[in-house]
Amino acid sequence: MSVFRYIVPAFLLCLALPGTVLAQDPLALATDALEGPSYSLSLQILVLMTLLTLLPAVVLSMSAFVRIIIVLSIIRQALGTAQTPPNQVLLGIALFLTFFVMSPVISEIQTTAVEPYVEGTLDARAALSAGLAPLRGFMMDQTRETDLELFAGMAGHEQFAAPEDVPLAVLIPSFIVSELKTAFQIGFLVFIPFLVIDLVVSSVLMSMGMMMLSPMLISLPFKIMLFVLVDGWALVLGTLASSFYT
């Protein structure tokens, strides 16, 4: 069973811009790619649905989503607002900001892989290679050389002559680790002003002998006020978006 027959339709449905893909019949697209006289339709649908379940997590791990959601979670923790904003709101912000950051990559995938595949000028294998090229370039730009060397050494690979020679099995975990490092570095810088406010409030309460009063309860309004006065959401989201193309 060729893996490309099942990966390509799901990959294109997950990454393509809605305008072109929704104009087509997704079931027909999937059926064309899954054509094979030796497998029943029920088995084909089962494999396709399984891949569609797993691919969103894989695609999000290959995009800007990891860095964005971690930084937003750290901001909520630094503010001390518990579940405000709720998880659904943070996920929505992260998803739409990810779409904004990845829009050049998605447009390139649309042009080089989706449209030729839908028109029939590219087969499944060529469409997969063309669709992965922009993602590979994006991940290479965001991956640290040290992380790449770490996983390349663990996999038993020597130095690569060109970025195109790096296999996805090495590139994807290297990219994820680099994104985690960058996200925590940004989160550390964001956390410092709120930590200073907590320290000041705690010191004032201790000097006044109010040891039974929770410092978090007093510092929360000041942290929210500071975040609003500096237009924190626009500042953080704008910085996050620009951090991918600096």
Side-chain angles (χ1 to χ4, degrees), residues 164-175:
E164 295 78 12
D165 298 334
V166 180
L168 289 178
V170 172
L171 178 58
I172 293 176
S174 303
F175 169 75

Side-chain angles (χ1 to χ4, degrees), residues 23-78:
Q24 306 295 324
D25 184 358
L27 182 59
L29 180 64
T31 303
D32 292 342
L34 294 175
E35 284 181 354
S38 58
Y39 302 104
S40 64
L41 179 62
S42 59
L43 179 60
Q44 296 171 4
I45 294 176
L46 176 62
V47 174
L48 178 62
M49 295 304 295
T50 302
L51 290 174
L52 287 177
T53 303
L54 297 176
L55 273 177
V58 175
V59 172
L60 290 177
S61 299
M62 299 164 63
S63 66
F65 182 81
V66 176
R67 182 188 305 183
I68 294 171
I69 192 62
I70 290 177
V71 173
L72 294 180
S73 300
I74 292 177
I75 290 175
R76 185 175 66 179
Q77 183 70 24

